[in-house]
C-alpha cells in the first residue's frame, strides 16, 4: 500500500517548456488535489477533483491544467513554464472530499524553472 | 472560509508540553478545526480534528472553548522529532475538501 505517489521527484525546466506532473493513489479515494508550496509559505490549492470526471479551480489555477485520468490518477500540466512556477508541488487525496476526511499527501515534486 | 491566525514560530525543549493556539474569530457554525503537521521536505500529515470541547488521540489533544473563536493544539512531552510546521485549518463540512493552509507555526524542539 503505497498511498499517494508522485513523479518525478525533481525537475528542472527552462522557461517556456512544458511538462506533466503525475500523481496516483491506491486508497480508492474519490477526491484528489494539487497544491503548490513556495518557500516559507503554506500550501495553496491549484486544482482539485471532487470525483472521477470532475475538476475545479482552486486558489491559484492560472498557468496550469489538470486531468483526472481515472479514479487513481490526477495529473498536473504546465503548458509553458515560467520562473514564478518554481515551487514544490504536492498531490493529495481524500475519501469523499469532505473537510472531515483526512487528506493524504504525496512526497512532493520539486520544480525549478530557469 | 474562516481565516486563522497562529504564531509564526515557537521554541521548546524536549520533554515539555507545547501548546499552539490558533485564532479563528469568524468561524461558522458548521466549520471544523483541523491540524496538520509538516516535516521538512515532506507533505503535510493529519494530526487531529475537532468541532467543540476536547478531542484527544495518540499524538495530541485539541481544546476548543465554547465560543469556538480559538483552539489550542497540545503536544505532550515533545521530542526532537516533533520539530515541524503545524497548520491550523478551519473548513466547512461539505465544501469539497478545500483546505486553506496559512503560514503555520514552525515549532523548534531543542535538546
Amino acid at each position: 500500500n503505497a498511498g499517494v505517489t508522485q513523479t518525478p521527484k525533481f525537475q528542472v525546466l527552462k522557461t517556456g517548456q512544458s511538462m506533466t506532473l503525475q500523481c496516483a493513489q491506491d486508497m480508492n479515494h474519490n477526491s484528489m488535489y494539487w497544491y503548490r508550496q513556495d518557500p516559507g509559505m503554506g500550501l495553496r490549492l491549484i486544482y482539485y477533483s471532487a470525483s472521477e470526471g470532475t475538476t475545479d479551480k482552486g486558489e491559484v489555477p492560472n498557468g496550469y491544467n489538470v486531468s483526472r485520468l481515472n479514479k487513481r490518477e490526477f495529473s498536473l500540466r504546465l503548458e509553458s513554464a515560467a520562473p514564478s512556477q518554481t515551487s514544490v508541488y504536492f498531490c493529495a487525496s481524500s475519501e469523499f472530499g469532505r473537510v472531515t476526511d483526512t487528506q493524504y499527501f504525496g512526497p512532493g515534486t520539486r520544480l525549478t524553472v530557469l | 472560509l474562516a481565516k486563522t491566525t497562529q504564531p509564526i514560530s515557537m521554541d521548546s525543549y524536549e520533554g515539555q508540553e507545547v501548546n499552539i493556539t490558533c485564532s479563528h474569530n469568524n468561524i461558522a457554525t458548521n466549520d471544523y478545526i483541523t491540524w496538520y503537521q509538516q516535516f521538512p521536505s515532506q507533505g503535510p500529515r493529519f494530526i487531529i480534528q475537532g468541532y467543540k470541547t476536547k478531542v484527544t488521540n495518540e499524538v495530541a489533544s485539541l481544546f476548543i472553548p465554547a465560543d469556538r473563536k480559538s483552539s489550542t493544539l497540545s503536544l505532550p512531552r515533545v521530542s526532537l522529532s516533533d520539530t515541524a510546521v503545524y497548520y491550523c485549518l478551519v473548513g466547512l463540512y461539505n465544501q469539497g475538501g478545500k483546505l486553506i493552509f496559512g503560514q503555520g507555526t514552525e515549532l523548534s524542539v531543542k535538546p
Side-chain angles (χ1 to χ4, degrees):
Chain A
N1 190 336
V4 179
T5 57
Q6 294 182 235
T7 56
K9 286 186 169 47
F10 302 92
Q11 184 71 48
V12 178
L13 293 177
K14 293 181 180 178
T15 296
Q17 288 185 317
S18 62
M19 80 161 295
T20 300
L21 281 64
Q22 306 287 353
C23 173
Q25 52 90 11
D26 62 2
M27 296 174 281
N28 200 35
H29 284 171
N30 290 281
S31 301
M32 298 185 72
Y33 313 83
W34 276 106
Y35 294 88
R36 62 176 287 174
Q37 185 171 35
D38 300 321
M41 295 183 67
L43 284 75
R44 291 183 291 171
L45 183 65
I46 305 172
Y47 271 94
Y48 70 102
S49 171
S51 61
E52 186 178 357
T54 69
T55 59
D56 283 289
K57 296 178 180 179
E59 296 175 79
V60 290
N62 291 342
Y64 306 94
N65 285 301
V66 291
S67 295
R68 183 74 183 267
L69 305 170
N70 48 55
K71 192 172 185 178
R72 287 188 64 248
E73 299 172 288
F74 189 37
S75 64
L76 178 72
R77 183 162 178 82
L78 287 69
E79 291 291 351
S80 179
S84 61
Q85 294 178 304
T86 293
S87 189
V88 180
Y89 291 85
F90 290 101
C91 177
S93 72
S94 69
E95 187 172 10
F96 292 112
R98 298 168 302 195
V99 74
T100 49
D101 293 332
T102 298
Q103 288 197 15
Y104 295 88
F105 286 80
T109 294
R110 291 185 175 275
L111 175 66
T112 301
V113 182
L114 302 174
Chain B
L1 296 171
K3 177 178 167 57
T4 61
T5 303
Q6 51 183 126
I8 296 295
S9 63
M10 293 181 69
D11 290 330
S12 183
Y13 291 93
E14 282 191 291
Q16 289 187 329
E17 178 184 71
V18 171
N19 296 307
I20 305 174
T21 297
C22 178
S23 172
H24 29 78
N25 291 318
N26 295 323
I27 190 168
T29 302
N30 294 332
D31 281 346
Y32 281 75
I33 300 155
T34 311
W35 287 79
Y36 278 77
Q37 173 192 54
Q38 185 178 26
F39 296 115
S41 301
Q42 294 186 27
R45 184 178 71 168
F46 172 88
I47 303 176
I48 197 165
Q49 183 179 71
Y51 181 78
K52 62 180 180 180
T53 62
K54 177 184 174 181
V55 179
T56 298
N57 61 24
E58 64 278 6
V59 176
S61 295
L62 179 59
F63 299 92
I64 305 169
D67 66 6
R68 303 199 330 123
K69 292 185 183 300
S70 67
S71 58
T72 299
L73 174 72
S74 181
L75 304 172
R77 295 182 298 281
V78 295
S79 64
L80 296 177
S81 62
D82 291 315
T83 293
V85 178
Y86 293 82
Y87 295 99
C88 166
L89 301 97
V90 173
L92 189 62
Y93 177 79
N94 194 27
Q95 61 180 13
K98 292 185 197 178
L99 297 179
I100 304 295
F101 285 81
Q103 279 193 301
T105 296
E106 187 169 3
L107 173 65
S108 178
V109 180
K110 301 174 183 177

